[in-house]
Amino acid sequence: MKKFTSVSDIENLQQIIKKALQIKENPLSETEKGKGKTIGLVFLNSSLRTRLSSQIAAQNLGLNVLTLNAAQEAWNLEFADGAVMDGNTVEHIKDAIEVLNQYCDIIAVRCFAGMKNKEDDVNESILSQFEKHAKVPVISLESATRHPLQSLADCITITENWNEERKPKVVLTWAPHIKPIAHAVGNSFTEWMQEMDVDFVITNPEGYDLDKNFTKDTTVIHNQEEAFKDADFIYVKNWSSFDDYAEMPEVKEDWMLTNEKLKNTNNAKVMHCLPVRRNLELSDEVMDGENSIIYQQAKNRIFSAQTVFSEILDEINSGK
Ligand code: CP
């Protein structure tokens, strides 16, 4: 694997999931693989799971880890090409990435959507700069449009929780929130489910359809109750409007996931990437109930990251 920013960087998803499950069985089986190499984890936005799981994964592989919480600890970055830097920005992103090239064998970056300019977000205005200027492999720790390490962890978790012959029905459901949230998790989960052997359905209120470049021919149902029928997995996530970018059109129905709604499913397992707003996106009873596999999902973030780092190290160590 030369880089990891979307599902298209993976040749064989089933093989990657199998490798991740082997790593989970024995996380310290490759402690020499990253010896003498350094991974830089650059966070332009907040994180709990991604930062800690990536650190554990890198340490399990013997990598040196540099973590930079850039928004709090680094110079104020300029992203615009050709900018006259006579304002608040102190260091251009090009220069920052070139310096990271001197220190790191792998650069991993978290760069959320700005949620102000649709074109900038759709075109990955920040991640694309890392891809352009980095001279070492780049890994996305969540970008404007995708969260691939989360999606791989989600695929691992679904695989662990499914042992029937038939395909599981997986439903991605929109949930309420108090502020505009980006589309990265919803887009990415959609993209990865399209590669999995599952029956996949998205349900969201009118006005909240995800970008059609991601949903493609996936069924989108605007009635949550109808979508939940016979579901084996329900993935809860909020996102703002894509068409009316970053707006929050009024929703009259109650979309919070409750135990009452789970009765309409095939005793569905409940997933969420976290952090979750309890009793807004889903109820306490769901979060703490026996159908929740949300903490298992969070644990699998380690093995998702470790699998990707291991694959990237294979490429580096082969000298290709
Ligand atoms: N799910 C996830 O990416 O969590 P963090 O934002 O805490 O990293």
Side-chain angles (χ1 to χ4, degrees), residues 224-270:
Q224 193 186 43
E225 189 178 350
E226 182 190 333
F228 279 1
K229 195 169 175 338
D230 299 327
D232 298 297
F233 293 89
I234 293 181
Y235 197 108
V236 182
K237 185 73 186 98
N238 170 267
W239 58 85
S240 54
S241 176
F242 178 75
D243 289 337
D244 194 4
Y245 197 64
E247 294 299 322
M248 299 171 67
E250 187 186 0
V251 177
K252 293 216 169 72
E253 306 83 25
D254 183 4
W255 281 71
M256 180 174 81
L257 185 64
T258 60
N259 270 353
E260 189 59 32
K261 291 183 183 178
L262 284 181
K263 286 181 187 162
N264 182 37
T265 69
N266 187 28
N267 198 24
K269 302 284 187 198
V270 177

mmCIF file of all heavy atoms in Angstrom, residues 224-270:
data_model
loop_
_atom_site.group_PDB
_atom_site.id
_atom_site.type_symbol
_atom_site.label_atom_id
_atom_site.label_comp_id
_atom_site.label_asym_id
_atom_site.label_seq_id
_atom_site.Cartn_x
_atom_site.Cartn_y
_atom_site.Cartn_z
ATOM 1 N N GLN A 224 -37.520 6.264 8.383
ATOM 2 C CA GLN A 224 -36.603 5.476 9.218
ATOM 3 C C GLN A 224 -37.198 4.123 9.605
ATOM 4 O O GLN A 224 -36.515 3.089 9.583
ATOM 5 C CB GLN A 224 -36.242 6.286 10.468
ATOM 6 C CG GLN A 224 -35.078 5.717 11.257
ATOM 7 C CD GLN A 224 -34.852 6.471 12.560
ATOM 8 O OE1 GLN A 224 -35.795 6.799 13.278
ATOM 9 N NE2 GLN A 224 -33.597 6.753 12.871
ATOM 10 N N GLU A 225 -38.485 4.122 9.953
ATOM 11 C CA GLU A 225 -39.146 2.878 10.387
ATOM 12 C C GLU A 225 -39.094 1.823 9.264
ATOM 13 O O GLU A 225 -38.785 0.651 9.504
ATOM 14 C CB GLU A 225 -40.594 3.180 10.785
ATOM 15 C CG GLU A 225 -41.271 2.002 11.452
ATOM 16 C CD GLU A 225 -42.699 2.335 11.875
ATOM 17 O OE1 GLU A 225 -43.096 3.520 11.830
ATOM 18 O OE2 GLU A 225 -43.418 1.389 12.238
ATOM 19 N N GLU A 226 -39.370 2.275 8.053
ATOM 20 C CA GLU A 226 -39.340 1.357 6.902
ATOM 21 C C GLU A 226 -37.915 0.817 6.679
ATOM 22 O O GLU A 226 -37.717 -0.376 6.449
ATOM 23 C CB GLU A 226 -39.825 2.129 5.664
ATOM 24 C CG GLU A 226 -39.898 1.314 4.396
ATOM 25 C CD GLU A 226 -40.141 2.226 3.178
ATOM 26 O OE1 GLU A 226 -40.735 3.307 3.312
ATOM 27 O OE2 GLU A 226 -39.689 1.828 2.082
ATOM 28 N N ALA A 227 -36.933 1.702 6.805
ATOM 29 C CA ALA A 227 -35.543 1.291 6.568
ATOM 30 C C ALA A 227 -35.066 0.294 7.615
ATOM 31 O O ALA A 227 -34.263 -0.606 7.322
ATOM 32 C CB ALA A 227 -34.638 2.524 6.565
ATOM 33 N N PHE A 228 -35.553 0.431 8.848
ATOM 34 C CA PHE A 228 -35.070 -0.417 9.953
ATOM 35 C C PHE A 228 -35.583 -1.853 9.880
ATOM 36 O O PHE A 228 -35.045 -2.733 10.547
ATOM 37 C CB PHE A 228 -35.489 0.181 11.296
ATOM 38 C CG PHE A 228 -34.599 1.293 11.791
ATOM 39 C CD1 PHE A 228 -33.507 1.720 11.047
ATOM 40 C CD2 PHE A 228 -34.850 1.918 13.011
ATOM 41 C CE1 PHE A 228 -32.688 2.748 11.502
ATOM 42 C CE2 PHE A 228 -34.030 2.942 13.468
ATOM 43 C CZ PHE A 228 -32.948 3.359 12.720
ATOM 44 N N LYS A 229 -36.634 -2.087 9.089
ATOM 45 C CA LYS A 229 -37.255 -3.420 9.057
ATOM 46 C C LYS A 229 -36.212 -4.482 8.681
ATOM 47 O O LYS A 229 -35.513 -4.359 7.683
ATOM 48 C CB LYS A 229 -38.402 -3.409 8.040
ATOM 49 C CG LYS A 229 -39.321 -4.588 8.167
ATOM 50 C CD LYS A 229 -40.568 -4.396 7.329
ATOM 51 C CE LYS A 229 -41.482 -5.575 7.312
ATOM 52 N NZ LYS A 229 -40.947 -6.857 7.622
ATOM 53 N N ASP A 230 -36.059 -5.478 9.569
ATOM 54 C CA ASP A 230 -35.142 -6.620 9.362
ATOM 55 C C ASP A 230 -33.658 -6.239 9.373
ATOM 56 O O ASP A 230 -32.811 -7.021 8.918
ATOM 57 C CB ASP A 230 -35.447 -7.363 8.041
ATOM 58 C CG ASP A 230 -36.855 -7.924 8.036
ATOM 59 O OD1 ASP A 230 -37.338 -8.307 9.120
ATOM 60 O OD2 ASP A 230 -37.475 -7.971 6.953
ATOM 61 N N ALA A 231 -33.333 -5.057 9.878
ATOM 62 C CA ALA A 231 -31.918 -4.652 9.900
ATOM 63 C C ALA A 231 -31.130 -5.522 10.873
ATOM 64 O O ALA A 231 -31.611 -5.857 11.962
ATOM 65 C CB ALA A 231 -31.791 -3.190 10.307
ATOM 66 N N ASP A 232 -29.903 -5.877 10.481
ATOM 67 C CA ASP A 232 -28.998 -6.643 11.350
ATOM 68 C C ASP A 232 -27.983 -5.720 12.036
ATOM 69 O O ASP A 232 -27.487 -6.029 13.115
ATOM 70 C CB ASP A 232 -28.248 -7.695 10.525
ATOM 71 C CG ASP A 232 -29.214 -8.697 9.896
ATOM 72 O OD1 ASP A 232 -29.895 -9.401 10.655
ATOM 73 O OD2 ASP A 232 -29.299 -8.753 8.647
ATOM 74 N N PHE A 233 -27.668 -4.611 11.367
ATOM 75 C CA PHE A 233 -26.752 -3.614 11.937
ATOM 76 C C PHE A 233 -27.344 -2.228 11.668
ATOM 77 O O PHE A 233 -27.801 -1.967 10.552
ATOM 78 C CB PHE A 233 -25.363 -3.676 11.276
ATOM 79 C CG PHE A 233 -24.608 -4.947 11.556
ATOM 80 C CD1 PHE A 233 -24.762 -6.060 10.727
ATOM 81 C CD2 PHE A 233 -23.739 -5.036 12.634
ATOM 82 C CE1 PHE A 233 -24.065 -7.237 10.980
ATOM 83 C CE2 PHE A 233 -23.039 -6.207 12.892
ATOM 84 C CZ PHE A 233 -23.208 -7.318 12.064
ATOM 85 N N ILE A 234 -27.305 -1.386 12.697
ATOM 86 C CA ILE A 234 -27.716 0.013 12.501
ATOM 87 C C ILE A 234 -26.554 0.904 12.906
ATOM 88 O O ILE A 234 -26.051 0.823 14.036
ATOM 89 C CB ILE A 234 -28.969 0.357 13.326
ATOM 90 C CG1 ILE A 234 -30.151 -0.441 12.771
ATOM 91 C CG2 ILE A 234 -29.255 1.861 13.275
ATOM 92 C CD1 ILE A 234 -31.452 -0.174 13.468
ATOM 93 N N TYR A 235 -26.111 1.728 11.956
ATOM 94 C CA TYR A 235 -24.992 2.650 12.189
ATOM 95 C C TYR A 235 -25.585 4.048 12.328
ATOM 96 O O TYR A 235 -26.225 4.564 11.406
ATOM 97 C CB TYR A 235 -24.038 2.596 10.996
ATOM 98 C CG TYR A 235 -22.665 3.153 11.248
ATOM 99 C CD1 TYR A 235 -21.566 2.307 11.355
ATOM 100 C CD2 TYR A 235 -22.449 4.519 11.380
ATOM 101 C CE1 TYR A 235 -20.288 2.809 11.583
ATOM 102 C CE2 TYR A 235 -21.184 5.024 11.613
ATOM 103 C CZ TYR A 235 -20.097 4.167 11.714
ATOM 104 O OH TYR A 235 -18.835 4.675 11.934
ATOM 105 N N VAL A 236 -25.397 4.648 13.480
ATOM 106 C CA VAL A 236 -26.006 5.946 13.791
ATOM 107 C C VAL A 236 -24.984 7.052 13.542
ATOM 108 O O VAL A 236 -23.849 6.966 14.010
ATOM 109 C CB VAL A 236 -26.454 5.980 15.271
ATOM 110 C CG1 VAL A 236 -27.132 7.301 15.597
ATOM 111 C CG2 VAL A 236 -27.366 4.799 15.589
ATOM 112 N N LYS A 237 -25.397 8.081 12.820
ATOM 113 C CA LYS A 237 -24.467 9.202 12.570
ATOM 114 C C LYS A 237 -25.241 10.428 12.113
ATOM 115 O O LYS A 237 -26.156 10.309 11.303
ATOM 116 C CB LYS A 237 -23.462 8.810 11.468
ATOM 117 C CG LYS A 237 -22.389 9.845 11.212
ATOM 118 C CD LYS A 237 -21.359 9.908 12.328
ATOM 119 C CE LYS A 237 -20.362 11.043 12.147
ATOM 120 N NZ LYS A 237 -20.708 12.237 12.933
ATOM 121 N N ASN A 238 -24.826 11.562 12.593
ATOM 122 C CA ASN A 238 -25.417 12.804 12.090
ATOM 123 C C ASN A 238 -24.564 13.364 10.951
ATOM 124 O O ASN A 238 -23.362 13.136 10.890
ATOM 125 C CB ASN A 238 -25.483 13.859 13.204
ATOM 126 C CG ASN A 238 -25.851 15.216 12.643
ATOM 127 O OD1 ASN A 238 -24.977 16.023 12.305
ATOM 128 N ND2 ASN A 238 -27.122 15.458 12.464
ATOM 129 N N TRP A 239 -25.218 14.087 10.056
ATOM 130 C CA TRP A 239 -24.526 14.938 9.085
ATOM 131 C C TRP A 239 -25.467 16.068 8.704
ATOM 132 O O TRP A 239 -26.685 15.952 8.824
ATOM 133 C CB TRP A 239 -24.052 14.146 7.869
ATOM 134 C CG TRP A 239 -25.122 13.414 7.101
ATOM 135 C CD1 TRP A 239 -25.921 13.922 6.116
ATOM 136 C CD2 TRP A 239 -25.521 12.034 7.254
ATOM 137 N NE1 TRP A 239 -26.770 12.949 5.648
ATOM 138 C CE2 TRP A 239 -26.548 11.777 6.336
ATOM 139 C CE3 TRP A 239 -25.103 10.992 8.101
ATOM 140 C CZ2 TRP A 239 -27.177 10.530 6.217
ATOM 141 C CZ3 TRP A 239 -25.728 9.752 7.986
ATOM 142 C CH2 TRP A 239 -26.742 9.533 7.051
ATOM 143 N N SER A 240 -24.876 17.166 8.247
ATOM 144 C CA SER A 240 -25.669 18.321 7.823
ATOM 145 C C SER A 240 -26.072 18.128 6.358
ATOM 146 O O SER A 240 -25.674 17.163 5.713
ATOM 147 C CB SER A 240 -24.860 19.598 8.012
ATOM 148 O OG SER A 240 -23.625 19.475 7.351
ATOM 149 N N SER A 241 -26.840 19.082 5.848
ATOM 150 C CA SER A 241 -27.273 18.981 4.449
ATOM 151 C C SER A 241 -26.052 19.080 3.520
ATOM 152 O O SER A 241 -25.137 19.877 3.763
ATOM 153 C CB SER A 241 -28.256 20.105 4.135
ATOM 154 O OG SER A 241 -28.597 20.073 2.769
ATOM 155 N N PHE A 242 -26.052 18.284 2.478
ATOM 156 C CA PHE A 242 -24.993 18.415 1.464
ATOM 157 C C PHE A 242 -25.450 19.367 0.361
ATOM 158 O O PHE A 242 -24.706 20.267 -0.037
ATOM 159 C CB PHE A 242 -24.620 17.051 0.867
ATOM 160 C CG PHE A 242 -23.569 17.170 -0.205
ATOM 161 C CD1 PHE A 242 -22.235 17.419 0.131
ATOM 162 C CD2 PHE A 242 -23.894 17.076 -1.554
ATOM 163 C CE1 PHE A 242 -21.262 17.569 -0.856
ATOM 164 C CE2 PHE A 242 -22.926 17.222 -2.536
ATOM 165 C CZ PHE A 242 -21.611 17.466 -2.186
ATOM 166 N N ASP A 243 -26.695 19.189 -0.106
ATOM 167 C CA ASP A 243 -27.181 20.036 -1.208
ATOM 168 C C ASP A 243 -27.217 21.501 -0.784
ATOM 169 O O ASP A 243 -26.730 22.376 -1.497
ATOM 170 C CB ASP A 243 -28.573 19.572 -1.656
ATOM 171 C CG ASP A 243 -28.496 18.241 -2.397
ATOM 172 O OD1 ASP A 243 -27.409 17.922 -2.921
ATOM 173 O OD2 ASP A 243 -29.498 17.516 -2.439
ATOM 174 N N ASP A 244 -27.802 21.765 0.380
ATOM 175 C CA ASP A 244 -27.837 23.114 0.941
ATOM 176 C C ASP A 244 -26.696 23.166 1.950
ATOM 177 O O ASP A 244 -26.904 23.077 3.164
ATOM 178 C CB ASP A 244 -29.204 23.335 1.617
ATOM 179 C CG ASP A 244 -29.459 24.793 1.912
ATOM 180 O OD1 ASP A 244 -28.630 25.635 1.530
ATOM 181 O OD2 ASP A 244 -30.487 25.078 2.551
ATOM 182 N N TYR A 245 -25.486 23.314 1.450
ATOM 183 C CA TYR A 245 -24.291 22.903 2.159
ATOM 184 C C TYR A 245 -24.163 23.447 3.587
ATOM 185 O O TYR A 245 -24.239 24.652 3.823
ATOM 186 C CB TYR A 245 -23.042 23.287 1.352
ATOM 187 C CG TYR A 245 -21.809 22.543 1.819
ATOM 188 C CD1 TYR A 245 -21.731 21.170 1.702
ATOM 189 C CD2 TYR A 245 -20.752 23.211 2.417
ATOM 190 C CE1 TYR A 245 -20.626 20.464 2.164
ATOM 191 C CE2 TYR A 245 -19.634 22.522 2.878
ATOM 192 C CZ TYR A 245 -19.593 21.139 2.747
ATOM 193 O OH TYR A 245 -18.502 20.445 3.212
ATOM 194 N N ALA A 246 -23.989 22.482 4.516
ATOM 195 C CA ALA A 246 -23.744 22.767 5.941
ATOM 196 C C ALA A 246 -24.946 23.399 6.644
ATOM 197 O O ALA A 246 -24.823 23.845 7.785
ATOM 198 C CB ALA A 246 -22.504 23.624 6.135
ATOM 199 N N GLU A 247 -26.080 23.427 5.975
ATOM 200 C CA GLU A 247 -27.302 23.916 6.633
ATOM 201 C C GLU A 247 -27.974 22.748 7.362
ATOM 202 O O GLU A 247 -27.630 21.583 7.154
ATOM 203 C CB GLU A 247 -28.262 24.519 5.599
ATOM 204 C CG GLU A 247 -27.731 25.783 4.944
ATOM 205 C CD GLU A 247 -27.487 26.919 5.944
ATOM 206 O OE1 GLU A 247 -28.300 27.068 6.886
ATOM 207 O OE2 GLU A 247 -26.474 27.628 5.804
ATOM 208 N N MET A 248 -28.936 23.089 8.216
ATOM 209 C CA MET A 248 -29.666 22.076 8.980
ATOM 210 C C MET A 248 -31.165 22.277 8.785
ATOM 211 O O MET A 248 -31.832 22.883 9.636
ATOM 212 C CB MET A 248 -29.307 22.193 10.469
ATOM 213 C CG MET A 248 -27.833 21.959 10.758
ATOM 214 S SD MET A 248 -27.391 22.365 12.454
ATOM 215 C CE MET A 248 -28.279 21.132 13.375
ATOM 216 N N PRO A 249 -31.706 21.772 7.651
ATOM 217 C CA PRO A 249 -33.143 21.923 7.422
ATOM 218 C C PRO A 249 -33.936 21.311 8.579
ATOM 219 O O PRO A 249 -33.499 20.331 9.195
ATOM 220 C CB PRO A 249 -33.393 21.125 6.132
ATOM 221 C CG PRO A 249 -32.060 20.902 5.521
ATOM 222 C CD PRO A 249 -31.038 20.990 6.599
ATOM 223 N N GLU A 250 -35.099 21.910 8.862
ATOM 224 C CA GLU A 250 -35.928 21.453 9.987
ATOM 225 C C GLU A 250 -36.368 19.992 9.771
ATOM 226 O O GLU A 250 -36.733 19.602 8.655
ATOM 227 C CB GLU A 250 -37.170 22.338 10.111
ATOM 228 C CG GLU A 250 -37.972 22.020 11.354
ATOM 229 C CD GLU A 250 -39.277 22.791 11.426
ATOM 230 O OE1 GLU A 250 -39.572 23.586 10.506
ATOM 231 O OE2 GLU A 250 -40.010 22.569 12.404
ATOM 232 N N VAL A 251 -36.310 19.213 10.849
ATOM 233 C CA VAL A 251 -36.780 17.824 10.809
ATOM 234 C C VAL A 251 -37.868 17.688 11.871
ATOM 235 O O VAL A 251 -37.613 17.933 13.051
ATOM 236 C CB VAL A 251 -35.622 16.834 11.098
ATOM 237 C CG1 VAL A 251 -36.144 15.405 11.125
ATOM 238 C CG2 VAL A 251 -34.513 16.998 10.064
ATOM 239 N N LYS A 252 -39.074 17.297 11.438
ATOM 240 C CA LYS A 252 -40.201 17.253 12.383
ATOM 241 C C LYS A 252 -40.240 15.932 13.162
ATOM 242 O O LYS A 252 -40.557 15.896 14.335
ATOM 243 C CB LYS A 252 -41.512 17.453 11.627
ATOM 244 C CG LYS A 252 -41.625 18.868 11.030
ATOM 245 C CD LYS A 252 -43.057 19.375 11.080
ATOM 246 C CE LYS A 252 -43.167 20.844 10.759
ATOM 247 N NZ LYS A 252 -42.943 21.167 9.349
ATOM 248 N N GLU A 253 -39.876 14.817 12.495
ATOM 249 C CA GLU A 253 -39.950 13.513 13.171
ATOM 250 C C GLU A 253 -38.775 13.361 14.150
ATOM 251 O O GLU A 253 -37.766 14.049 14.033
ATOM 252 C CB GLU A 253 -39.885 12.356 12.161
ATOM 253 C CG GLU A 253 -40.886 12.399 11.044
ATOM 254 C CD GLU A 253 -40.444 13.290 9.887
ATOM 255 O OE1 GLU A 253 -39.232 13.500 9.712
ATOM 256 O OE2 GLU A 253 -41.333 13.813 9.183
ATOM 257 N N ASP A 254 -38.924 12.390 15.063
ATOM 258 C CA ASP A 254 -37.857 12.106 16.019
ATOM 259 C C ASP A 254 -36.958 11.009 15.442
ATOM 260 O O ASP A 254 -37.383 9.862 15.302
ATOM 261 C CB ASP A 254 -38.471 11.653 17.354
ATOM 262 C CG ASP A 254 -37.393 11.420 18.394
ATOM 263 O OD1 ASP A 254 -36.213 11.691 18.094
ATOM 264 O OD2 ASP A 254 -37.730 10.965 19.498
ATOM 265 N N TRP A 255 -35.716 11.348 15.132
ATOM 266 C CA TRP A 255 -34.787 10.390 14.502
ATOM 267 C C TRP A 255 -33.817 9.765 15.500
ATOM 268 O O TRP A 255 -32.947 8.980 15.127
ATOM 269 C CB TRP A 255 -34.016 11.054 13.353
ATOM 270 C CG TRP A 255 -34.840 11.161 12.101
ATOM 271 C CD1 TRP A 255 -35.912 11.978 11.877
ATOM 272 C CD2 TRP A 255 -34.680 10.386 10.901
ATOM 273 N NE1 TRP A 255 -36.425 11.766 10.624
ATOM 274 C CE2 TRP A 255 -35.676 10.801 9.993
ATOM 275 C CE3 TRP A 255 -33.787 9.401 10.496
ATOM 276 C CZ2 TRP A 255 -35.810 10.254 8.718
ATOM 277 C CZ3 TRP A 255 -33.910 8.857 9.222
ATOM 278 C CH2 TRP A 255 -34.915 9.281 8.348
ATOM 279 N N MET A 256 -33.906 10.121 16.798
ATOM 280 C CA MET A 256 -33.008 9.510 17.787
ATOM 281 C C MET A 256 -33.272 8.005 17.861
ATOM 282 O O MET A 256 -34.427 7.573 17.882
ATOM 283 C CB MET A 256 -33.232 10.133 19.163
ATOM 284 C CG MET A 256 -32.324 9.539 20.233
ATOM 285 S SD MET A 256 -32.460 10.378 21.819
ATOM 286 C CE MET A 256 -33.950 9.609 22.467
ATOM 287 N N LEU A 257 -32.205 7.198 17.935
ATOM 288 C CA LEU A 257 -32.382 5.744 18.037
ATOM 289 C C LEU A 257 -32.715 5.368 19.476
ATOM 290 O O LEU A 257 -32.007 5.761 20.418
ATOM 291 C CB LEU A 257 -31.111 5.007 17.589
ATOM 292 C CG LEU A 257 -31.255 3.487 17.561
ATOM 293 C CD1 LEU A 257 -32.293 3.036 16.535
ATOM 294 C CD2 LEU A 257 -29.916 2.804 17.292
ATOM 295 N N THR A 258 -33.799 4.600 19.624
ATOM 296 C CA THR A 258 -34.252 4.133 20.947
ATOM 297 C C THR A 258 -34.437 2.617 20.909
ATOM 298 O O THR A 258 -34.500 2.020 19.828
ATOM 299 C CB THR A 258 -35.612 4.763 21.302
ATOM 300 O OG1 THR A 258 -36.558 4.363 20.271
ATOM 301 C CG2 THR A 258 -35.539 6.274 21.371
ATOM 302 N N ASN A 259 -34.587 2.021 22.086
ATOM 303 C CA ASN A 259 -34.865 0.574 22.152
ATOM 304 C C ASN A 259 -36.185 0.243 21.473
ATOM 305 O O ASN A 259 -36.332 -0.814 20.874
ATOM 306 C CB ASN A 259 -34.894 0.101 23.609
ATOM 307 C CG ASN A 259 -33.506 -0.329 24.073
ATOM 308 O OD1 ASN A 259 -32.568 -0.400 23.285
ATOM 309 N ND2 ASN A 259 -33.377 -0.612 25.360
ATOM 310 N N GLU A 260 -37.163 1.151 21.574
ATOM 311 C CA GLU A 260 -38.466 0.936 20.946
ATOM 312 C C GLU A 260 -38.277 0.746 19.427
ATOM 313 O O GLU A 260 -38.870 -0.154 18.829
ATOM 314 C CB GLU A 260 -39.372 2.143 21.244
ATOM 315 C CG GLU A 260 -40.825 1.981 20.838
ATOM 316 C CD GLU A 260 -41.513 0.790 21.505
ATOM 317 O OE1 GLU A 260 -41.162 0.460 22.639
ATOM 318 O OE2 GLU A 260 -42.390 0.185 20.843
ATOM 319 N N LYS A 261 -37.425 1.571 18.841
ATOM 320 C CA LYS A 261 -37.191 1.460 17.387
ATOM 321 C C LYS A 261 -36.444 0.175 17.042
ATOM 322 O O LYS A 261 -36.624 -0.375 15.955
ATOM 323 C CB LYS A 261 -36.412 2.681 16.883
ATOM 324 C CG LYS A 261 -37.219 3.971 16.916
ATOM 325 C CD LYS A 261 -36.418 5.115 16.334
ATOM 326 C CE LYS A 261 -37.197 6.413 16.443
ATOM 327 N NZ LYS A 261 -36.438 7.559 15.927
ATOM 328 N N LEU A 262 -35.597 -0.303 17.947
ATOM 329 C CA LEU A 262 -34.851 -1.544 17.675
ATOM 330 C C LEU A 262 -35.783 -2.746 17.573
ATOM 331 O O LEU A 262 -35.437 -3.748 16.945
ATOM 332 C CB LEU A 262 -33.808 -1.797 18.769
ATOM 333 C CG LEU A 262 -32.530 -0.945 18.712
ATOM 334 C CD1 LEU A 262 -31.581 -1.335 19.845
ATOM 335 C CD2 LEU A 262 -31.816 -1.084 17.373
ATOM 336 N N LYS A 263 -36.979 -2.641 18.186
ATOM 337 C CA LYS A 263 -37.936 -3.765 18.132
ATOM 338 C C LYS A 263 -38.359 -4.077 16.702
ATOM 339 O O LYS A 263 -38.774 -5.185 16.392
ATOM 340 C CB LYS A 263 -39.187 -3.429 18.964
ATOM 341 C CG LYS A 263 -38.948 -3.488 20.463
ATOM 342 C CD LYS A 263 -40.251 -3.172 21.189
ATOM 343 C CE LYS A 263 -40.008 -3.042 22.686
ATOM 344 N NZ LYS A 263 -41.105 -2.351 23.366
ATOM 345 N N ASN A 264 -38.249 -3.096 15.840
ATOM 346 C CA ASN A 264 -38.651 -3.226 14.440
ATOM 347 C C ASN A 264 -37.554 -3.868 13.581
ATOM 348 O O ASN A 264 -37.718 -4.059 12.375
ATOM 349 C CB ASN A 264 -38.989 -1.810 13.931
ATOM 350 C CG ASN A 264 -39.466 -1.777 12.502
ATOM 351 O OD1 ASN A 264 -40.173 -2.680 12.077
ATOM 352 N ND2 ASN A 264 -39.077 -0.749 11.760
ATOM 353 N N THR A 265 -36.388 -4.175 14.219
ATOM 354 C CA THR A 265 -35.246 -4.696 13.464
ATOM 355 C C THR A 265 -35.068 -6.190 13.745
ATOM 356 O O THR A 265 -35.813 -6.771 14.546
ATOM 357 C CB THR A 265 -33.950 -3.981 13.899
ATOM 358 O OG1 THR A 265 -33.627 -4.391 15.243
ATOM 359 C CG2 THR A 265 -34.111 -2.464 13.860
ATOM 360 N N ASN A 266 -34.065 -6.778 13.130
ATOM 361 C CA ASN A 266 -33.711 -8.170 13.418
ATOM 362 C C ASN A 266 -32.724 -8.174 14.594
ATOM 363 O O ASN A 266 -31.601 -8.646 14.470
ATOM 364 C CB ASN A 266 -33.105 -8.810 12.168
ATOM 365 C CG ASN A 266 -32.884 -10.298 12.342
ATOM 366 O OD1 ASN A 266 -33.588 -10.947 13.111
ATOM 367 N ND2 ASN A 266 -31.890 -10.836 11.654
ATOM 368 N N ASN A 267 -33.190 -7.601 15.729
ATOM 369 C CA ASN A 267 -32.333 -7.493 16.926
ATOM 370 C C ASN A 267 -30.978 -6.878 16.547
ATOM 371 O O ASN A 267 -29.907 -7.395 16.903
ATOM 372 C CB ASN A 267 -32.141 -8.883 17.555
ATOM 373 C CG ASN A 267 -31.658 -8.792 18.991
ATOM 374 O OD1 ASN A 267 -31.876 -7.780 19.660
ATOM 375 N ND2 ASN A 267 -30.988 -9.829 19.458
ATOM 376 N N ALA A 268 -31.045 -5.758 15.830
ATOM 377 C CA ALA A 268 -29.849 -5.178 15.208
ATOM 378 C C ALA A 268 -28.791 -4.774 16.218
ATOM 379 O O ALA A 268 -29.090 -4.254 17.298
ATOM 380 C CB ALA A 268 -30.249 -3.960 14.381
ATOM 381 N N LYS A 269 -27.546 -5.015 15.839
ATOM 382 C CA LYS A 269 -26.400 -4.483 16.575
ATOM 383 C C LYS A 269 -26.296 -2.994 16.227
ATOM 384 O O LYS A 269 -26.528 -2.601 15.078
ATOM 385 C CB LYS A 269 -25.104 -5.184 16.149
ATOM 386 C CG LYS A 269 -25.123 -6.688 16.350
ATOM 387 C CD LYS A 269 -24.957 -7.047 17.793
ATOM 388 C CE LYS A 269 -24.807 -8.541 17.989
ATOM 389 N NZ LYS A 269 -25.066 -8.952 19.369
ATOM 390 N N VAL A 270 -25.911 -2.203 17.227
ATOM 391 C CA VAL A 270 -25.869 -0.751 17.031
ATOM 392 C C VAL A 270 -24.421 -0.271 16.992
ATOM 393 O O VAL A 270 -23.604 -0.666 17.839
ATOM 394 C CB VAL A 270 -26.637 -0.021 18.156
ATOM 395 C CG1 VAL A 270 -26.538 1.489 17.988
ATOM 396 C CG2 VAL A 270 -28.092 -0.470 18.165
#
